[in-house]
């Protein structure tokens, strides 16, 4: 059974810092991996989607990497801003799976 | 463009009352549809998914049921709510096997009192 773990559970940083959020998964037979952002009381916004054949994806200040063989993904946020404060969720879609399996998320707080 | 709608946004219901949450998708045909629940301190848990009209698969035994009466409509129901049904319910859709990613609705916050 696929399990997804995100470390740390919470992170507080001052504005301007570069930071890394970690995601690990137990079954490397994945179809793709998706990073989402969730603001308090809101739905999920897709940030980046990495196919199993890809190593990384970039969107603006965000860069996500995937090492399928080791079961790891990282989300790198450059020059963090207070507006980046949110919960970041990692989710994997297994090759034989029917739906995304989520980690519990990392709650990020960026202070000005 | 494709959009997904969920309603209501918030709901407070007494224990033992019925429940109906609705999700609709626009701008696409034959989507795969999903209901997830996010309880306090827990991750998103898949409740139901549907690959077509009338086709519902349940992932977790519970007090809830789902139906798909139309191609782009997905309904989550309960005959009698329990306190443990409280949570944030999210609907999502994707096309095919999900290779293009998932899109989520804005969610419904359900509080059972």
């Amino acid at each position: 059974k696929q399990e997804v773990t995100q470390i740390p559970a919470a992170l507080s940083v001052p504005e301007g810092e570069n930071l890394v959020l970690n995601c690990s998964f137990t079954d490397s037979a994945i179809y793709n991996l998706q990073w989402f952002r969730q603001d308090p009381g809101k739905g999920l916004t897709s940030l980046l989607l990495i196919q199993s054949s890809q190593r990384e994806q970039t969107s603006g200040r965000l860069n996500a990497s995937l090492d399928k063989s080791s079961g790891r993904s990282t989300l790198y946020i450059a020059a963090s801003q207070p507006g980046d404060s949110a919960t970041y969720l990692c989710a994997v879609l297994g090759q034989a799976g029917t739906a995304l399996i989520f980690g519990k998320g990392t709650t990020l707080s960026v202070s000005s | 463009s494709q959009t997904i709608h969920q309603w209501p946004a918030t709901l407070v219901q007494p224990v033992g009352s019925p429940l109906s949450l609705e999700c609709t998708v626009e701008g696409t045909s034959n989507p795969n549809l999903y209901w997830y629940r996010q309880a306090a301190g827990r991750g998103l848990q898949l409740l139901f998914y549907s690959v077509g009209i009338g086709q519902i698969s349940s992932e977790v035994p519970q007090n809830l049921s789902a139906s798909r009466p139309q191609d782009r409509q997905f309904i989550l129901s309960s005959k009698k709510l329990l306190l443990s049904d409280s949570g944030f319910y999210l609907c999502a859709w994707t096309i095919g096997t999900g290779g293009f990613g998932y899109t989520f609705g804005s969610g419904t916050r359900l509080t059972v009192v």
Side-chain angles (χ1 to χ4, degrees):
Chain A
K1 179 183 174 183
Q2 179 74 272
E3 293 184 0
V4 180
T5 303
Q6 291 188 246
I7 295 173
L11 183 63
S12 292
V13 300
E15 182 176 8
E17 274 205 9
N18 302 324
L19 54 99
V20 174
L21 308 182
N22 296 293
C23 172
S24 61
F25 45 95
T26 55
D27 185 350
S28 62
I30 66 169
Y31 195 69
N32 59 41
L33 183 146
Q34 201 165 354
W35 282 94
F36 294 89
R37 168 183 172 141
Q38 185 177 28
D39 292 292
K42 304 295 184 182
L44 276 62
T45 300
S46 180
L47 298 174
L48 291 164
L49 170 68
I50 310 177
Q51 304 294 352
S52 62
S53 58
Q54 297 175 323
R55 298 284 299 191
E56 66 178 347
Q57 282 286 335
T58 298
S59 176
R61 294 182 294 108
L62 305 179
N63 175 276
S65 68
L66 174 64
D67 184 344
K68 195 175 69 168
S69 61
S70 67
R72 296 174 186 270
S73 176
T74 61
L75 179 66
Y76 175 83
I77 302 177
S80 58
Q81 303 171 358
D84 294 330
S85 299
T87 296
Y88 291 80
L89 296 162
C90 167
V92 299
L93 180 66
Q95 289 180 357
T98 53
L100 289 176
I101 304 299
F102 282 84
K104 292 185 178 181
T106 294
T107 299
L108 172 66
S109 176
V110 181
S111 56
S112 57
Chain B
S1 63
Q2 302 94 347
T3 56
I4 180 169
H5 302 281
Q6 262 190 265
W7 65 92
T10 60
L11 195 57
V12 179
Q13 292 284 99
V15 170
S17 64
L19 173 73
S20 181
L21 303 181
E22 189 163 344
C23 171
T24 60
V25 179
E26 296 178 357
T28 188
S29 296
N30 196 30
N32 289 351
L33 297 171
Y34 305 84
W35 280 111
Y36 282 84
R37 177 171 61 197
Q38 189 175 38
R42 301 183 63 180
L44 277 114
Q45 180 184 37
L46 177 66
L47 301 176
F48 300 95
Y49 68 92
S50 172
V51 298
I53 296 175
Q55 300 178 61
I56 308 294
S57 296
S58 174
E59 289 293 302
V60 180
Q62 61 223 322
N63 185 42
L64 303 168
S65 62
S67 62
R68 185 169 177 175
Q70 300 180 43
D71 181 45
R72 289 170 287 181
Q73 184 184 30
F74 205 22
I75 298 173
L76 183 69
S77 303
S78 173
K79 293 182 179 179
K80 290 185 178 181
L81 284 169
L82 305 172
L83 288 174
S84 58
D85 293 322
S86 295
F88 192 50
Y89 289 81
L90 288 157
C91 180
W93 74 273
T94 190
I95 290 296
T97 56
F100 295 102
Y102 285 61
T103 301
F104 282 78
S106 55
T108 295
R109 171 72 60 190
L110 172 65
T111 303
V112 182
V113 296

